[in-house]
Amino acid sequence: MKLYITAGSPYARIVRVVIIEKALQHRVDIILAPTRVADSPYYRINPSGRVPYLICDDGVGLEESALIVDYLDQLDGKPIFNLPAGETGWQARRLEALARSMMDGLAVWGRELARPENERSPTIVRHEKHRSMRMVDLWEAEIEHPWLHGALNMAQITLACALGLDARNPDFQWRRGHPKLSAWFDAITARPSFVATTASSRR
Ligand SMILES: N[C@@H](CCC(=O)N[C@@H](CS)C(=O)NCC(=O)O)C(=O)O
């Protein structure tokens, strides 16, 4: 299989973490895709131009991190990210949705910063910065939830990949005033799957 990524994409990082957690490194070639440039050859591989994008062994392409994770998780017939039924399942989905919501806002902010300075929108940057601060406060209050502890799950991976965007956005200073979240982040990102996929500074 081939996985197209960019070095800084948090959505691609989710998939890269899962590949390591599922010990699938030997089955997936990871390829850097030139995104957001005119006439990129990548557009002939994935017309949307987005990453992550997985080309399966049968040549079929999959876009969307959640779909790719689900596909990879089922490959060995021993999925580890299936959700439980009932109230715990709803809590798991609620927390994952919140983590993805924060990631989406941070991605918009990061995209603005990647533009030439004279093309950036201060309004969008301010809006996303304020959103991220509200979300970080929310996570400081939620972080003791049992689903965010114990066996690794997609809410935990998504939240850690979102917070890890501080490596690429120096204005995303979330640690101050959030000691419980900081301790949680330090513990989860000590896992080899996170260490191996640490986001580098700006692409
Ligand atoms: N909902 C998608 C989001 C993917 C996404 O937004 N990827 C960004 C990188 S962080 C991208 O490919 N940007 C390139 C572009 O917009 O052309 C997922 O979960 O995979």
Side-chain angles (χ1 to χ4, degrees), residues 6 9-11 35-36 48-52 64-66 100 107 111 203:
T6 58
S9 166
Y11 304 96
T35 61
R36 301 185 82 81
S48 85
R50 291 202 174 88
V51 293
E64 275 292 327
S65 51
R100 200 164 270 274
R111 234 162 265 158
R203 89 182 86 176

Side-chain angles (χ1 to χ4, degrees), residues 16-74:
R16 290 159 69 203
V17 165
V18 166
I19 286 171
I20 296 170
E21 294 289 342
K22 295 284 299 187
L24 287 168
Q25 297 95 315
H26 63 292
R27 291 198 53 188
V28 187
D29 290 332
I30 298 198
I31 301 165
L32 282 173
T35 61
R36 301 185 82 81
V37 286
D39 302 324
S40 170
Y42 178 56
Y43 302 156
R44 289 197 289 278
I45 297 165
N46 180 11
S48 85
R50 291 202 174 88
V51 293
Y53 186 65
L54 181 78
I55 303 196
C56 308
D57 284 337
D58 61 4
V60 172
L62 301 179
E63 185 171 309
E64 275 292 327
S65 51
L67 173 66
I68 298 170
V69 163
D70 214 15
Y71 178 80
L72 294 173
D73 190 27
Q74 311 286 336

